[in-house]
C-alpha cells in the first residue's frame, strides 16, 4: 500500500510500472557492500551510503499476486496491510505505529505481482529498533478476525479509489489483459468478493506458507558499518526457522492471442489512452535493448513517440512509457492524455506507428551520405541518458535497497556483467529486432477513457 | 514540506522520473564511499547574479536550479498563466543542431511555476555541464517568442489545466486558493484560465521577460561533485552576460477570511474528497517551522492526527495534509477521500478531529514524536541533489534564507509545547476553516 497517494497528475500515471530493472552484482563484495545468506536461507545485502544519517531497510518476500488463485485474489494484499498495521503477539498495531513515529521512521509496504516488500527508513542511530520491529511484524504476527474485518474496510476504500483515477484504472486494465491465462492477470488489489469474504484461516495459510526466511531477502542501504550491521542482522534473524519450505515455480507468461480493446467513460475533461504490450522478463537479455528503446521513444528532449502525433497535429499532454520486468514476463506500457476530439486519431496513429517502428532510423549510422548530417542520433542520446539516470539513482537510498531486494529474489543469471557495457553493446540491429519483437507485436491491449457523454 | 504548483507535464528530459532503480554496479569499484555534504558557499557575479554552491560527491551529476523571483505574484490582473508561459518560452530549443547537442549530452530540463517564483532545473552528467550551460544560457538569453510557439504552448497549458482539474485533490486545492485569495494572483492555476490565456499578448510576455529574467532578480543554486572554482567560472562565463537590474517590486496582499459556506463541486466519481483548509500566518523561520510541524502532526505518515480517520473510523484509504507556503499566505489543507455514501460522516469526522486539536492541543509526548518524525522527514525529503537544491532555492526565494536547510533541524528541536499549542490556537480556529467537497451530488449519495 502507498500511504501517500501520488498526486502529480501524469507523473503518477504508471508509477507502479515504470520501475526499471534493478541490476546489481551481489557477489562482488567490497569494503562498502557485502552480501551473505544466513543459515535459515535469508538473503542479505548491505550497502554503505553515508551521505545522510539515514538507514533504509527493505525486506522482500517472494509472495505476490502470482501466488493467488481466483478464489484467493487479494489475500496477499490484505496480508501485507495486516502485517504493517495490525500488531503482533507482543504489541498492538497502534503501539508499533507510535513507536515507529517516535523513532522518526517512515514505514510502508507494497504488494506486487512477484513480491511483497516492507520498508523502513529511519535515522541511523535506530538500527536495532528497525530490525527488531521488522522481525516482530513479519515473524510474530497475531491474526485476529475482528482486526481483519476492520482492515478490509480500508482496503475496499482503496479499491474504490482506483476507479476514480483514469491512469491507474487504465493501467489496471492493461495488466488484467496482458497475461492471458497467467496468474499475473489477476489484479494486485484483489477482487471485492474475495476481500469481503476473507478469513483469518485463509490469511494464515499464506502467512505460514510464504513468510519464511528462505523465501525472503533483506537489503540495507545507508549510514552504518558493514560488520556491525551484519552482526545485528545475524543476531535478530538467525533464530527463525525455514523448515518445510518448498519454493514454488510458475510457467512463463505466454504471448497474447488477440488484441483487447477496453472503453470506459468517466467524469473527466481530458481523454486518456493506454496501450500495453508483453515485454521481456527480469532475466531476459532483451531488457537492455528495451531500456534503450524506452529512452528513445519516451524520454529526453525529443521523444520519438511524439512524432506520429505531432505530424497529425495531435497535441498530447505528456507521454509516459515504461517497461516493467517481472519474473515470469514483462509489460511495456504507454499512456497519454489528450483532448477528447483527438482520441480516435491518436489511437489509430500510435498503433500504426508502433507496428512499423522497426523501420525507423535510430542512429546517424542508419543513413548515408549527406543525410547523416541531418539525422538525429537517438541511440547514443538514449545511452547517455541511461548513464545519467544510473548516477541519479545512486542518490536514493530506499530505491537502491528496493532494487537490491528485488535482485536477490528474482535474479537467475549467474553473472549479469556490467549493465552499461551491455547497453554500450546495443547497436541499431539489436534495437530494430527488439522494436519488431516487442513494440511491433500483432496483439496488444488498448484502453481508452473518455469524458462521460452528456445525456 | 512545500507544494510545487506543478508542471509535471513539461519535461524536456526525464527529469520527472519515477522510482529509478537502475543500479549500475559491476564490481567492487562501482559501489564506493560517498562523503557527506560539505558546507554551502555563496557568491555573486559582477552582474548581481547570486550563486549558491553545494558540493556533493555522491554521484557524478550536477543539478543547476535557476529561480526567477516573481511567479504568479508578478502576473498583472487578468493575465494568469503569464509567468508559466514566459518561463516555458525561455526553454524553446531553436534548431536541429542544438536539439541534437542537448540530446547527446542527456541534459534534463524541467520547469515549474509557483506563487512567488518560477524555476528551471538543469541536470546532467557533470562532464557535460559546460556544454549544457553554454546551450541553455544562450537559449535563455534570447528566447524564441514567435506566435506559433506561443500558440502551441498556450494550447498545452489549456490541456494541463483540464488534466489538473480531472484530479479531485488538485481541484479542492484550487478552490481553496481561489476562495482565500480571491482577486489576487494566487487565486488562479499556474496555467491560467482559458480567458486569461486569450488575454495574454506577445507584448505581455516580452514585458515579463525583460522585467524578471535578469541577473538581479535571479538566483542560481548548484549542487555538484565539481569544485567550487570550476562552477563559479562556468556560471560566470555563461550567465555573466545576463543583464543586471533591480528586483522588481511585487504586490503585497492578504488573504480573505474563510467563507461561511462550504464549497461543493460536483464530480460523478466513486469517492468524494473532503478537504478542510486554513490560511496560516507564516513570515519567519520560526513560524515556518511551526507550520511544518503542524503539517506533520496533522496528516503526514502513520499515527498522524488524521490517521485515526482511516484506521479506527475506517472512512478512507487516503488521509493527508499539505502545506503550501507562499510569501503572502500559507495554505494548510487536511483531506481524505471516502466512498461517497460516507461523505457526511467523513466531513463530521474531519471537523471533529480538527476541533479536538484546536481545543485540546497536544501533549509533550506527541510533540516529541512529531519532532522526531519531522526531522527525519527533512532528511528524506532532501536526499537527492535535485530535491536539496530546490529546497535551498525555495527557502531563499520565500524569504527564509537558504541556510535554513542547515538550521531547520535545530529549529524543530527548540520548539516548545506552549509555542506549538499557541500556533494551533491561532491557526486552526473553526471559524477560519473552509470545507471543500468534491464528489457526486447529494441526491446521488
Amino acid at each position: 500500500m502507498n500511504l501517500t497517494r501520488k498526486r502529480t497528475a501524469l507523473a503518477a500515471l504508471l508509477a507502479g510500472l515504470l520501475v526499471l530493472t534493478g541490476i546489481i552484482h551481489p557477489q562482488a563484495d567490497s569494503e562498502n557492500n557485502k552480501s551473505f545468506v544466513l543459515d535459515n536461507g535469508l538473503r542479505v545485502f548491505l550497502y554503505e551510503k553515508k551521505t545522510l544519517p539515514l538507514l533504509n531497510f527493505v525486506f522482500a518476500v517472494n509472495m505476490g499476486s502470482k501466488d493467488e488463485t481466483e478464489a484467493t485474489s487479494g489475500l496477499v494484499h490484505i496480508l501485507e496491510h495486516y502485517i504493517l498495521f495490525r500488531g503482533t503477539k507482543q504489541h498492538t498495531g497502534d503501539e508499533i505505529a507510535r513507536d515507529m513515529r517516535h523513532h522518526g521512521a517512515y514505514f510502508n509496504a507494497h504488494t506486487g505481482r512477484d513480491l511483497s516488500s516492507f520498508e523502513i527508513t529511519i535515522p541511523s542511530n535506530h538500527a536495532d529498533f528497525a530490525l527488531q520491529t521488522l522481525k516482530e511484524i513479519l515473524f510474530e504476527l497475531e491474526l485476529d478476525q475482528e482486526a481483519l474485518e476492520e482492515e478490509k474496510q480500508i482496503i475496499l476504500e482503496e479499491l474504490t479509489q482506483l476507479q476514480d483515477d483514469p491512469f491507474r484504472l487504465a493501467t489496471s486494465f492493461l495488466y488484467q489483459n496482458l497475461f492471458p491465462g497467467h496468474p499475473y492477470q489477476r489484479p494486485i488489489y484483489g477482487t471485492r468478493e474475495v476481500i469481503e469474504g476473507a478469513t483469518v484461516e485463509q490469511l494464515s495459510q499464506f502467512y505460514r506458507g510464504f513468510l519464511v526466511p528462505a523465501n525472503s531477502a533483506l537489503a540495507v542501504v545507508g549510514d552504518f558499518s558493514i560488520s556491525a550491521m551484519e552482526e545485528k542482522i545475524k543476531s535478530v534473524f538467525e533464530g527463525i526457522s525455514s523448515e518445510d519450505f518448498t519454493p514454488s515455480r510458475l510457467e512463463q507468461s505466454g504471448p497474447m492471442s488477440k488484441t483487447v480493446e477496453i472503453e470506459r467513460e468517466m467524469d473527466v475533461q481530458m481523454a486518456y489512452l493506454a496501450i500495453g504490450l508483453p515485454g521481456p522478463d527480469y532475466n531476459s537479455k532483451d531488457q537492455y535493448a528495451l531500456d534503450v528503446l524506452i529512452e528513445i521513444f519516451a524520454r529526453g528532449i525529443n521523444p520519438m513517440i511524439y512524432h506520429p502525433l505531432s505530424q497529425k497535429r495531435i497535441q498530447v499532454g505528456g507521454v509516459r512509457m515504461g517497461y516493467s520486468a517481472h519474473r515470469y514476463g514483462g509489460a511495456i506500457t504507454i499512456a497519454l492524455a489528450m483532448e477528447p476530439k483527438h482520441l480516435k486519431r491518436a489511437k489509430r496513429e500510435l498503433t500504426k506507428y508502433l507496428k512499423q517502428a522497426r523501420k525507423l532510423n535510430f542512429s546517424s549510422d542508419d543513413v548515408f551520405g549527406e543525410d547523416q548530417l541531418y539525422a538525429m542520433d537517438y541511440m547514443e542520446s538514449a545511452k547517455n541518458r541511461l548513464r545519467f539516470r544510473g548516477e541519479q539513482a545512486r542518490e536514493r537510498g530506499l530505491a537502491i535497497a528496493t532494487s537490491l531486494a528485488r535482485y536477490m529474489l528474482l535474479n537467475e543469471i549467474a553473472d549479469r556483467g556490467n549493465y552499461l557495457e551491455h547497453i554500450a553493446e546495443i547497436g541499431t540491429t539489436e534495437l530494430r529486432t527488439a522494436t519488431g519483437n516487442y513494440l511491433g507485436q500483432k496483439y496488444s491491449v488498448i484502453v481508452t477513457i473518455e469524458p462521460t457523454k452528456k445525456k | 514540506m512545500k507544494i510545487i504548483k506543478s508542471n509535471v507535464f513539461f519535461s524536456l528530459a526525464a527529469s520527472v522520473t519515477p522510482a529509478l532503480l537502475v543500479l549500475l554496479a559491476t564490481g567492487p569499484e562501482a559501489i564506493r564511499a560517498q562523503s557527506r555534504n560539505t558546507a554551502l558557499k555563496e557568491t555573486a557575479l559582477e552582474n548581481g547574479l547570486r550563486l549558491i554552491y553545494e558540493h556533493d560527491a555522491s554521484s557524478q551529476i550536477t543539478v543547476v536550479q535557476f529561480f526567477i523571483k516573481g511567479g504568479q505574484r508578478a502576473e498583472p490582473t487578468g493575465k494568469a498563466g503569464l509567468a508559466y508561459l514566459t518561463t516555458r518560452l525561455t526553454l524553446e530549443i531553436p534548431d536541429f543542431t542544438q536539439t541534437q547537442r542537448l540530446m547527446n549530452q542527456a541534459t534534463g530540463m524541467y520547469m515549474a511555476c509557483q506563487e512567488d517564483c518560477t524555476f528551471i532545473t538543469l541536470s546532467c552528467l557533470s562532464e557535460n555541464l559546460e556544454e549544457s550551460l553554454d546551450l541553455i544560457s544562450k537559449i535563455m538569453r534570447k528566447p524564441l517568442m514567435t506566435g506559433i510557439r506561443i500558440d502551441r504552448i498556450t494550447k498545452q497549458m489549456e490541456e494541463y489545466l483540464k488534466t489538473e482539474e480531472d484530479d479531485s485533490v488538485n481541484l479542492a486545492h484550487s478552490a481553496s486558493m481561489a476562495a482565500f485569495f480571491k482577486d489576487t494572483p494566487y487565486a488562479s492555476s499556474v496555467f491560467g484560465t482559458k480567458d486569461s490565456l486569450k488575454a495574454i499578448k506577445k507584448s505581455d510576455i516580452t514585458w515579463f521577460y525583460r522585467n524578471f529574467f535578469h541577473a538581479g532578480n535571479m538566483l542560481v543554486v548548484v549542487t555538484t561533485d565539481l569544485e567550487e572554482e570550476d562552477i563559479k567560472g562556468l556560471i560566470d562565463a555563461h550567465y555573466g552576460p545576463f543583464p543586471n537590474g533591480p528586483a522588481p517590486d511585487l504586490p503585497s496582499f492578504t488573504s480573505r477570511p474563510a467563507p461561511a459556506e462550504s464549497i461543493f463541486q460536483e464530480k460523478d466519481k466513486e469517492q468524494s474528497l473532503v478537504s478542510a483548509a486554513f490560511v496560516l500566518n507564516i513570515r519567519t523561520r520560526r513560524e515556518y517551522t511551526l507550520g511544518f510541524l503542524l503539517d506533520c502532526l496533522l496528516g503526514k505518515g502513520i499515527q498522524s492526527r488524521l490517521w485515526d480517520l482511516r484506521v479506527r473510523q475506517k472512512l478512507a484509504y487516503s488521509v493527508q495534509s499539505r502545506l503550501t507556503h507562499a510569501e503572502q499566505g500559507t495554505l494548510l489543507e487536511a483531506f481524505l477521500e471516502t466512498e461517497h455514501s460516507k461523505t457526511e460522516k467523513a466531513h463530521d469526522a474531519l471537523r471533529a478531529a480538527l476541533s479536538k486539536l484546536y481545543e485540546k492541543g497536544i501533549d509533550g509526548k506527541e510533540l516529541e514524536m512529531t519532532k522526531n518524525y519531522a526531522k527525519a522527514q527533512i532528511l528524506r525529503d532532501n536526499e537527492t541533489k535535485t530535491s536539496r537544491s530546490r529546497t535551498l532555492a525555495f527557502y531563499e526565494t520565500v524569504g527564509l534564507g537558504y541556510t535554513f536547510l542547515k538550521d531547520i533541524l535545530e529549529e524543530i528541536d527548540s520548539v516548545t509545547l506552549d509555542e506549538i499549542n499557541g500556533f494551533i490556537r491561532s491557526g486552526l480556529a473553526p471559524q477560519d476553516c473552509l470545507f471543500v467537497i468534491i464528489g457526486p451530488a447529494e441526491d446521488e449519495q
Side-chain angles (χ1 to χ4, degrees), chain B residues 171-180 258-266 273-275 277 347 433-439:
Chain B
L171 204 55
H173 175 76
S174 300
S176 299
M177 289 298 282
F180 279 118
E261 297 289 313
S262 298
I263 294 174
F264 172 75
Q265 290 198 19
E266 188 177 343
L273 180 127
V274 181
S275 163
H347 176 270
C433 177
L434 169 65
F435 273 92
V436 179
I437 297 167
I438 314 283

Side-chain angles (χ1 to χ4, degrees), chain A residues 2 5 7 23 47 94 101-102 157 164 223 267 269 272 300-301 376 381 384 391 395 397 419, chain B residues 12 23-24 31 36 59-60 103-104 165-167 268 270-271 296 300 312 337 342 372 383:
Chain A
N2 257 315
R5 182 174 165 195
R7 282 290 175 191
I23 299 161
Y47 171 24
D94 260 4
R101 195 163 172 93
H102 187 71
E157 283 285 352
D164 283 340
D223 182 17
D267 187 1
Q269 296 184 70
Y272 299 83
I301 60 169
M376 292 276 185
S381 169
N384 271 336
E391 284 296 320
E395 298 175 0
Y419 178 77
Chain B
L12 287 176
L23 200 59
L24 304 169
I31 294 177
R36 281 171 195 264
S59 63
Q60 293 168 17
M103 278 173 64
N104 288 346
E165 288 174 355
D166 280 348
D167 184 289
D268 185 17
E270 298 289 325
Q271 286 192 317
C296 289
K300 291 284 183 290
R312 273 186 210 84
E337 289 167 279
K342 299 184 199 163
N372 290 342
E383 186 177 17

